[in-house]
Amino acid sequence: MSAEKFQNPVVRWIDHRLPVFSMLDHEKYDYPVPKNLNYMWNFGVLAGMALAIMIVTGIVLAMSYTAHVDYAFESVERIMRDVNHGWLIRYIHMNTASFFFIVVYIHILRGLYYGSYKAPRELLWILGVVIFLLMMATAFMGYVLPWGQMSFWGATVITNLFSAIPVVGDSIVTLLWGGFSVDNATLNRFFSLHYLLPFVISGVVVLHIVALHRFGSNNPIGIDASGPQDTISFHPYYTMKDMVGIAVFLLLLAMTVFFFPNAMGHPDNYIPANAMQTPAHIVPEWYFLPFYAILRAVPDKLGGVLLMFGAIAVLFILPWLDKSPVRSARFRPLFRIFFWLFLIDAILLGYLGGKPAEGIYVTLSRIATAWYFLHFLVILPLLSMFETTKPLPKSISEPVLGSSGRSA
Amino acid sequence: MAKSDKNQNPAKGDVQEPGRRDFFVVATYAMAGLGAAAVAWPLIDQLNPAADTLALANIEVDVSKIAVGQSITVKWRGKPVFIRHRTADEIARANATDIADLRDPQDDVTRAEKPEYLVLVGVCTHLGCVPLGQKTGEVRGDYDGWFCPCHGSHYDTSGRIRKGPAPTNLEVPPYNFLSDSVIRIG
């Protein structure tokens, strides 16, 4: 197979033994992609890029960071002041973390809207949720490393959650801490795991892409491609489209890094950790706020923990909650309305997660949490049973090309 | 029009004139290359010594407190530096040596800005041990300078190798006198 395409003898020698060149060529030219993908399909590549940036900047930061409670905060300040371009690398690392979550949330919302989680892509979706969970663990541990006030107290609050588990809860927390509170043992193991998990994420991303390539991408109208007239090669069309998206992503990232590098962070994390004094309001980073709101909405400690993890668990079983044979929200008018309501609810939960757990905020959090679960566990199943969907087009090309778009 | 006609006749074998598309492709690859270099540079340059390390690259030492015949050791760039306030006898012996006899010929004048104060990097040029001879009572070797216990290198009163496996004299670090009593090393 490599014989046809490559003339360079070195390339042929390598490809015969390790078909990297054939593989790349296949992905670029032979792999069929629906021709109607819109910009919502850019976000997977952006997520991959964000992961790469995080790994490169992270490995470089690890060269100057010291994971010891007495030196951690100072080592970060040294990076900011003394290490050549240290401030730049650090700001890129912490802001790309936020951008990684922005891009992944949009990527997930795309999946929800266009039904990308439906058969035969259920496993692709589940792998994605696994990646999301690993990202959350990695980000949580990464935030602890600078050993600021929020690092320390965020770690204390979240690790304390596990004490809610009956019987073994306290033992588990002691195990996690490696001591009687969040301290040096905790910081060291978090550094080790924070370095490890991105490579685990990379492995799951590979599986995610393999699963994707089994059936190819979904598309905005949710109908399978019926032949070559409905698809185009990845290169040059989607390589170029992705580059536009990448350019916008890098532009926004650069604007943030150079002009508003601390906008998405919390000023309290520039105060060295003090085990004797809790900050006025402990808040996690913005991307955890919706789950934080759900956690605090439930008056019972264990209940809050269960619901918080449950909020992600429902994502795992989504393909079985929404069994509507119509994939795309474009042809599901009722589903579309509830999608936007869900999005508003998720944003509301995020807003509430950043507020103190008092007064009206508590009430609203409970309503918003209830709506979140109602959406997945009640509304989606009901919709899939009773919704009248709009008639689907005959093929991908048909809405654009008319009858000539149908397969011969 | 003429340009595109030329490009449609590749079989003729003559060189095609570069068109707009070629210009764009080359320009794009060039910009991408510049971009990659711009991204790579900070990531590589951060490996270079940081500002605080560079700040320790020079040290100032007050040598006026060193008595005649006494030696002190200071730390410079992570290595020991020997500063010896030499006696007149030691200076005379250093000057009296025949340069031709030395494995690494160097006369004493070039090795000390002021002959009373000898400043040397205290690392044996053989395999890197710290030679003895700084403290009173320590072995100074056959030439009354320094003696490396690891493999038996003998250095003279000017820090030059005389006997043993070391290939070159003890290194003289860059230094200068800021005043009569203070030297700046590095």
Side-chain angles (χ1 to χ4, degrees), chain B residues 51 106 127 163:
Chain B
Q106 254 189 323
L127 290 174
K163 193 159 102 175

Side-chain angles (χ1 to χ4, degrees), chain B residues 40-184:
Chain B
W41 174 238
L43 294 171
I44 294 171
D45 189 38
Q46 60 85 27
L47 293 167
N48 271 326
D52 56 350
T53 312
L54 291 173
L56 292 174
N58 313 302
I59 59 165
E60 288 177 13
V61 185
D62 182 356
V63 296
S64 59
K65 302 278 178 355
I66 313 176
V68 180
Q70 203 194 0
S71 302
I72 64 165
T73 308
V74 295
K75 188 159 150 178
W76 173 73
R77 294 188 183 176
K79 291 170 285 206
V81 167
F82 298 159
I83 305 176
R84 183 175 283 184
H85 189 164
R86 296 194 291 185
T87 62
D89 180 50
E90 285 169 347
I91 300 170
R93 268 186 286 154
N95 283 319
T97 322
D98 186 0
I99 311 292
D101 283 343
L102 297 172
R103 180 178 303 162
D104 180 12
Q106 254 189 323
D107 61 55
D108 188 64
V109 181
T110 50
R111 290 174 63 77
E113 191 180 307
K114 286 191 190 177
E116 310 85 62
Y117 294 104
L118 187 63
V119 182
L120 303 170
V121 178
V123 175
C124 182
T125 58
H126 178 226
L127 290 174
C129 294
V130 179
L132 302 171
Q134 286 292 92
K135 302 198 178 88
T136 16
E138 266 184 7
V139 182
R140 285 191 170 195
D142 297 349
Y143 296 83
D144 202 35
W146 289 268
F147 170 72
C148 186
C150 289
H151 307 100
S153 293
H154 298 253
Y155 298 89
D156 66 12
T157 53
S158 184
R160 297 174 295 204
I161 181 67
R162 301 299 283 269
K163 193 159 102 175
T168 52
N169 303 332
L170 289 176
E171 188 195 329
V172 179
Y175 73 95
N176 57 290
F177 275 85
L178 295 177
S179 71
D180 278 342
S181 53
V182 177
I183 60 167
R184 189 176 113 130

Side-chain angles (χ1 to χ4, degrees), chain A residues 298-310:
Chain A
V298 185
D300 176 59
K301 186 173 170 185
L302 180 59
V305 174
L306 288 176
L307 270 194
M308 184 179 79
F309 287 118

Side-chain angles (χ1 to χ4, degrees), chain A residues 56-57 60 63-64 78 81-85 88-89, chain B residues 41-43 45-54:
Chain A
V56 169
T57 53
V60 166
M63 293 181 184
S64 302
R78 179 176 172 270
R81 290 157 217 274
D82 289 336
V83 173
N84 297 331
H85 317 288
L88 176 65
I89 300 169
Chain B
W41 174 238
L43 294 171
D45 189 38
Q46 60 85 27
L47 293 167
N48 271 326
D52 56 350
T53 312
L54 291 173

